[in-house]
Structure formats: structure tokens, C-alpha cells
Amino acid sequence: MSGRRGGERRGGRAASGHGGGAAAPGGPAGDVPALVAEGLRKTYQLGRQTIDAVDGVSLTLRRGEFVALVGPSGSGKTSILAMLAGLLRPTEGRVRIAGEDLGELADRRLAGFRRRNIGFTFQQNNLIPYLTVLENVTLMLSLNGRYDAAGALRARELLERLGLGDRLRSLPSQLSGGQQQRVAIARALIHQPAVVLADEPTASLDTERAHQVVDTFANLIHHDRRAGIMVTHDLRMCRVVDRVIVLRDGAVDRTLEDPAAIARFADGALA
Amino acid sequence: MNGRLAVSLALKEILRNKGRFASIGAVIALITTLVLFLSGLGEGLALGNRQYVSGLDADLLVYQRTADLQIAASQFDRSAVASVRRVDGVGDVGAIGFASTVVEPRSRAAGGARTQAEAAAGGAGPATSAPGLRVSLIGVEPGRPGDPAVLRGPGFTSASGNEVVLGRQAALRSGMKVGDVLTVRSTQGAVDESYDLRVVGIAAGQQYQIAPAVLVPLITFERIKPKANLQDDPRTLLFNVLAVRAASGPTPAALGARIEGQVRGVRAVDLRTAYQNIPGYTAQQSTLNTQSGFTLVIGILVVGGFFQIQTLQKLGQIGMLKAIGASNALVASETVLQIVLVNLAGVLAGTIGTAALAATFPSTVPIVFQLGNVATALVGLLVIGPLGGLVALRAALRVEPLRALGLGR
């Protein structure tokens, strides 16, 4: 089911960080995985035809691990991300985040769970246009009923770390695309979620800004020990991640874990 | 649901998009102005038509049965008063006659040549062609139902004197006060005559058929009212209706039935029925109410359309909010709060604007802002916003969080 080629595991449906086990051997003893997805399958009915958008994908993420989901259009990247976020119910399989099975949560509780345990950045419509940079970030604290002076201070510090200390009162429309994405990253992390999900965070950025954003993202995920998943079509962005999961036709085509293999993949050598 | 967060988001969006929300607020203000003016005009015209009748100190108005509740078509002579008065349960009866004529201050009519003493002596003189004030001339029996209480002046001193009581509007528009002499122009047969009457009182608002009312004793009325045929016996006192005040005991409806049963050829109705049968009254009110209704419907569509477009523009943003965990309750609260706040501001601005505009209107414009009607219109206006916003609210609630990822509705 899996075969390795220079740190590469080909085919198969499991995409665990370390051999597909539920626990991460590389992590601290007894460390519960931040995210476990088992046998995710999503089918759509198109007339009489059944379309398999996602076909038996499993993956496990440790805290502090940053994973890239890559693949051509229609490979199922966004559907997987949606299922991992609890935005889409899988036809089969289940997702557990911080030990909670998302399939057992009703829609209302699921929204609350997302609010507390998941951070998001999106490709577009990332920020609320009528809120300032600081307000966009502290929005997550307000939604969780955790906005206070300490939270506001933490938001300022996070934005300063992201190089936006002088833009706290700016509106999104006054920022560049890269700055907006960095605000979205701050918002995704401010409430200290278990998992951070990023959908094409560099899609609208030029190469230099895209690298800056992904570098920042990776640093924060590693530093704050969050589990991060980034969906991207830009292979160059994979050089900062710990693992690359390549999807094809809704299934895992191969998984790259070796840094050298990931670097070659990011350079286009293994694509 | 985080109520404070919903308020904060709603207010920040409004304050940071002032132009957009001000434009819909201005539209709501204009709709408010239109609705309030239509309401005021409706009430002004209604009052101008019915004020004297609806303000009568009586319970019933008695018509000639064949008149089909048309005051001008109803004709009684003195014997009718006695017949109605004999009915058990009748407290008091007053005969009332109605006519239309033109009045003007005495000094303008004849260069001020006549004195008050001459006016007191009465008598007809030649009419002038100067423009006067068109009024409803109402003949009443002093001290009987139909004779309004005077606010200033002694009131009628005799049942047949050359005296006149002015309604408030007639006094305002003619500029006359107690003690002045008023000239009534009246066509008698083929001759234009004028009659001088002394103002002996100013009553509260008295209008009938969109004309200010002047009231004279019934005997004087019979003498000076415009007549087509001078061959009529001047001793025959003719009038149009009888105002009946019930004694304690029967209800007005029961008394009306009793009068109709005991007096031949009459019909007795309450005052509401009476004024609703004033020619044109109901049609006029229906027209204005329909206009107000249409304006409110247009308001619902305009407000609804605005917020619907705004919601459609924000679908991605709403999807993102839901994806990061905002509840439907938060999204709904923010939407409803914005609709209510913008609507409230628009209605408030429109009300203030209407009041300011109305203050510049001359007294001849029949517009009356009656508290009850204004309150009803304002409640209607405050309801149209949320009502119009229901579609936008539904659209906002139907947005799926998946939309944030470019999937779903």
C-alpha cells in the first residue's frame, strides 16, 4: 500500500505523519494527535452518476506539525479541508480534533467547536471589511467570549510579530494582499486553536509576498505548537512544511516526509 | 448568542459605511414624510368635512327618511322637532340647517360705512364683488344640541338676533374677533343681498364640507340663507336635520330605533354614520388610505430591496463568519439590528423633516397631524423595515459556511 522513494511514500490511503498510526511516535510520550481523519469519503450524486470527490483519505497530525495538501484541480483538496473543518459531513469516515468526533456533533455544537478549536484563513473574503486590523483579529476572542485586556494585548503582540504593529487601526481595504493574509493568520491563531486550516493562502499574492506569508505561517505553527494544514496549488510553498500530501482523483497519491524530498518537490523536481 | 458583539458589528458596519446607510436612511425619511403628509392631509380633509358633525353635543342625527342620509336632501319643518321631542328617552332636540355662502368683514364690504348699531338692527344691503371667505353657514337653535360652546364672547343672546358665532378656522382666516361686524353675501331669488351680523362668539374648530363654519340662530339662518325661490312663506321654518341628545336610559341605537318607530318618515343614525355619509367623505378617505397603503408597500419593497442587495454582496463574508464559528443567531441579530437602526433613524429624520415642513404651510392647507394617526403611521413605518428585511434575513440565514471555501450556497 505504500512505497518509499527518497522519503516518499507512494499510493495508499493513509497519510499519517509517521506510518499512519493514531499516535505520533515523534511527539512527546502520550501526546494525543491534534487531528485524526480516518477513511474520509465524499460522494456526490450527479443525476444517476455517483462522483467520488474524496475516496478513503486518512491522515493524522501532531501538534506543531505543518502539512501541505497539494494536487491538481478536482483532486479533492478543498473537500478534504471542508470535512476536516466540520463544514462538510463525510459520506463515510470520521474526523477527530482534540479527541472530539466531529460527526457526533449537531450543526449548532459544531459551529461552537469550530469557533474554539479551529483557526481559518481563506483564499478570499478573509477579513470583515468594516473592522480594523485589530478588531478583525480580536473578533475570534469576542466570538468565543474571551475578549479582555489580556486578549487585546496578545492580539497586538501577534500583529507586531507579523509586522503589522503600525497598521492596527487600518481597514482591510487599506492593506496589501500580503498584509491582509497576515491579519488572517493572526486571526486564525489568536484563540490558540488545536488546528489551523489554510485554503490557498497565497493564491492572490506575488511570489515574494507568498513566501513571506507561508514562512510566517510555518514559524507561528511550529512556535505555538499548532497543527496546520495548508491547501495550495503552488508547489513552491511546500518547502516550509513538514509533510506534503499529494492528492489525485480524491485519493492520496503520495506522501512526502523527508525534508530533502520535500525540497526537491517544492523545486518542481518531483512534481 | 453574543448580543453585545452583534450590536458592535452592526454599529461598526453602519458607521464605517455612512454613505451607503445614509442613502437608504434618506429614502426611508422621504417615505416617512410622504406617509405622514398623506396621513395629515387625510385627517385634515376628514376633519374639514366632518368636524362640525362629529363634534356635535348629541347622540343621534335624524334625517328625512327619503334623503338617504344626505344632509342637503333632508328637509324638515318645525313639526318634526315636536314629534321627535315627544319620543320617550329623548333628552333634547336641536334643529340644524346647512347652507353655503360667502362672508367678509363689514368694513371691507361697504367701506366701513355701517356702524355696529346698524348691524345690530340688521337688514339687507347691496352685495359687493370683493372676494370673501367661503363658509358653511349653519343655523342652530341657541342652547340646543347643535349650538357649540363658545370659547370667547357671550354667545347668542337671542333666538333670532343678527348674531354670528365663528368657528376657529373662520375667525383665523377672516381675521375677525368678537364685536366685529360680518357681512354675509346671499343670493335671494335673483338678487344678491348682504346681511350684517355681529360676532358674538368664537367657538372651537368648526368645519363642514371643507369650509370653515359660521353659526347663526336658526331663525336668522332661515332669513339670510341663499334661496332660489322667494315665494316661499318666510314664516315656515325649514331646516335639514335634528340633533338628538338621549336622556339617561336607552342606548343611542335603541333610541334611534324608537324614534324611527314612532315618528313617520325619519331615519336616526349615530354621528359616525352621519359624517361617513357626508358626500365624498368615505371616497376621499379611501383614496388617501389607499395612497398611504401603497406608499408603505413601496417602502417595504425599497427597504427590502436595499438590504437584500446588501446581503447578496456580503454572502462570502457571511459564509466566512459562519465558517469561523459565528452562529446564525449572531448573523441574524446583526442583520435585524441594522435594519431596525437604519429604519429608526430614517423615520426619525422624516418625522422631524415633516414637522419642520408643516410649520411653513399656511393655515389654508387642510393638513392636521392627529396624534393617533401619526402614531399609527409611524408604527407602520417602523414595521416596514423589518418586514422588508425578512427576505434579506432569510438569505443571510441560508448562507452555508462552506461558502467561505468557495463551496456550497
Side-chain angles (χ1 to χ4, degrees):
Chain A
M1 162 165 137
S2 66
R4 285 181 180 259
R5 189 179 66 195
E8 175 186 351
R9 199 153 42 84
R10 180 166 283 280
R13 292 178 175 180
S16 167
H18 296 269
D31 190 9
V32 176
L35 181 150
V36 177
E38 294 171 340
L40 291 183
R41 185 178 157 85
K42 186 67 189 176
T43 60
Y44 297 100
Q45 205 67 35
L46 199 66
R48 291 180 182 175
Q49 197 182 359
T50 302
I51 309 283
D52 290 321
V54 177
D55 188 11
V57 170
S58 300
L59 65 96
T60 301
L61 254 80
R62 300 188 314 274
R63 292 173 60 186
E65 190 180 17
F66 192 21
V67 172
L69 282 181
V70 299
S73 282
S75 60
K77 304 186 295 289
T78 305
S79 292
I80 291 173
L81 196 73
M83 286 189 282
L84 297 180
L87 298 174
L88 189 65
R89 301 268 183 194
T91 308
E92 283 177 27
R94 60 182 187 167
V95 176
R96 276 185 290 144
I97 292 177
E100 188 90 48
D101 188 340
L102 303 194
E104 291 178 359
L105 299 177
D107 285 349
R108 204 172 188 177
R109 286 191 60 204
L110 198 53
F113 184 84
R114 275 200 306 273
R115 190 160 65 219
R116 288 187 300 276
N117 296 289
I118 302 177
F120 285 99
T121 73
F122 303 103
Q123 190 173 340
Q124 54 192 358
N125 294 312
N126 234 333
L127 303 176
I128 307 286
Y130 51 85
L131 296 184
T132 64
V133 164
L134 187 62
E135 288 165 348
N136 261 291
V137 174
T138 55
L139 175 65
M140 281 313 301
L141 299 175
S142 301
L143 281 173
N144 281 302
R146 285 167 48 198
Y147 179 74
D148 54 15
L153 184 63
R154 205 166 66 245
R156 284 170 187 272
E157 287 171 354
L158 184 55
L159 286 164
E160 275 167 18
R161 278 168 67 190
L162 288 163
L164 293 164
D166 58 341
R167 307 308 299 268
L168 299 180
R169 308 250 168 247
S170 300
L171 291 172
S173 58
Q174 297 165 325
L175 303 179
S176 68
Q179 287 173 322
Q180 289 184 26
Q181 277 298 354
R182 278 186 275 159
V183 177
I185 290 169
R187 189 194 60 202
L189 291 164
I190 187 66
H191 57 303
Q192 299 165 321
V195 176
V196 181
L197 303 174
D199 179 33
E200 301 278 10
T202 61
S204 56
L205 306 180
D206 60 48
T207 305
E208 187 184 349
R209 288 184 200 284
H211 281 297
Q212 283 174 1
V213 165
V214 172
D215 285 349
T216 307
F217 207 176
N219 286 339
L220 286 169
I221 282 173
H222 291 137
H223 180 270
D224 294 351
R225 291 190 52 73
R226 309 285 156 218
I229 299 181
M230 170 177 67
V231 163
T232 182
H233 67 279
D234 189 346
L235 304 186
R236 294 170 301 175
M237 299 303 127
C238 294
R239 63 181 179 78
V240 294
V241 302
D242 305 305
R243 191 164 21 131
V244 177
I245 297 172
V246 183
L247 299 166
R248 187 177 298 279
D249 297 332
V252 175
D253 181 52
R254 54 192 157 137
T255 302
L256 305 172
E257 295 173 41
D258 179 63
I262 291 173
R264 285 202 302 279
F265 181 81
D267 290 340
L270 295 178
Chain B
M1 187 189 77
N2 193 331
R4 283 174 62 186
L5 180 58
V7 173
S8 166
L9 288 174
L11 286 177
K12 280 172 181 164
E13 183 167 15
I14 292 171
L15 293 175
R16 288 169 186 166
N17 292 282
K18 291 189 193 79
R20 182 153 35 109
F21 284 97
S23 63
I24 184 64
V27 170
I28 294 169
L30 289 173
I31 290 171
T32 302
T33 304
L34 185 58
V35 168
L36 289 181
F37 266 110
L38 282 173
S39 165
L41 198 61
E43 180 60 21
L45 288 171
L47 208 60
N49 253 325
R50 67 157 200 252
Q51 193 172 30
Y52 174 73
V53 174
S54 62
L56 280 172
D57 180 23
D59 300 300
L60 297 168
L61 218 54
V62 178
Y63 297 74
Q64 194 178 14
R65 176 162 286 281
T66 53
D68 196 21
L69 299 184
Q70 299 305 298
I71 288 176
S74 175
Q75 290 272 297
F76 287 118
D77 61 22
R78 173 64 70 184
S79 65
V81 180
S83 302
V84 172
R85 189 166 282 146
R86 276 197 296 271
V87 174
D88 188 29
V90 169
D92 202 356
V93 179
I96 307 172
F98 293 85
S100 292
T101 188
V102 175
V103 299
E104 58 196 342
R106 169 71 187 85
S107 55
R108 199 187 332 150
R114 290 189 183 188
T115 63
Q116 285 192 18
E118 288 168 333
T128 71
S129 59
L133 177 65
R134 293 178 62 184
V135 296
S136 285
L137 181 67
I138 302 175
V140 298
E141 293 185 279
R144 300 281 188 191
D147 178 18
V150 293
L151 302 176
R152 268 174 289 172
F156 296 122
T157 56
S158 75
S160 59
N162 294 314
E163 297 172 339
V164 63
V165 168
L166 305 180
R168 192 177 65 87
Q169 292 85 354
L172 278 173
R173 290 173 63 180
S174 67
M176 300 199 72
K177 53 190 185 298
V178 174
D180 288 350
V181 176
L182 177 95
T183 298
V184 176
R185 288 192 213 155
S186 174
T187 303
Q188 303 290 317
V191 182
D192 289 338
E193 296 284 5
S194 63
Y195 300 90
D196 290 347
L197 306 173
R198 189 162 54 88
V199 178
V200 293
I202 308 290
Q206 303 291 338
Q207 299 174 83
Y208 176 68
Q209 288 199 319
I210 318 291
V214 300
L215 300 108
V216 295
L218 193 63
I219 295 170
T220 308
F221 173 80
E222 182 56 31
R223 182 163 51 86
I224 70 172
K225 74 177 181 185
K227 297 182 200 72
N229 188 358
L230 283 177
Q231 302 309 313
D232 291 344
D233 183 351
R235 289 167 300 178
T236 305
L237 195 58
L238 289 174
F239 48 89
N240 300 104
V241 289
L242 290 165
V244 175
R245 196 184 301 144
S248 57
T251 62
L255 181 60
R258 197 180 290 172
I259 290 170
E260 289 178 3
Q262 294 182 23
V263 181
R264 265 182 56 185
V266 300
R267 183 156 174 213
V269 296
D270 59 31
L271 299 184
R272 185 181 172 83
T273 308
Y275 66 69
Q276 282 177 339
N277 279 280
I278 293 172
Y281 178 86
T282 304
Q284 185 185 70
Q285 291 304 297
S286 299
T287 304
L288 288 163
N289 288 340
T290 305
Q291 285 177 2
S292 291
F294 268 118
T295 309
L296 284 174
V297 170
I298 290 167
I300 290 172
L301 294 176
V302 169
V303 175
F306 172 84
F307 282 103
Q308 173 73 354
I309 290 168
Q310 173 162 282
T311 302
L312 291 177
Q313 288 173 337
K314 284 175 26 179
L315 289 182
Q317 182 189 309
I318 294 170
M320 181 274 285
L321 264 175
K322 290 188 181 180
I324 64 175
S327 62
N328 257 340
L330 177 74
V331 172
S333 305
E334 188 195 348
T335 306
V336 170
L337 265 170
Q338 278 182 351
I339 294 170
V340 169
L341 286 174
V342 172
N343 202 46
L344 197 63
V347 170
L348 194 65
T351 307
I352 292 169
T354 305
L357 203 60
T360 67
F361 280 21
S363 62
T364 48
V365 177
I367 191 158
V368 173
F369 295 105
Q370 199 247 346
L371 190 62
N373 289 350
V374 170
T376 305
L378 289 180
V379 168
L381 287 159
L382 289 174
V383 168
I384 63 166
L387 213 58
L390 281 180
V391 180
L393 183 63
R394 183 169 177 269
L397 292 178
R398 282 167 60 93
V399 174
E400 292 177 356
L402 261 182
R403 198 181 180 93
L405 295 172
L407 305 172
R409 279 197 301 251

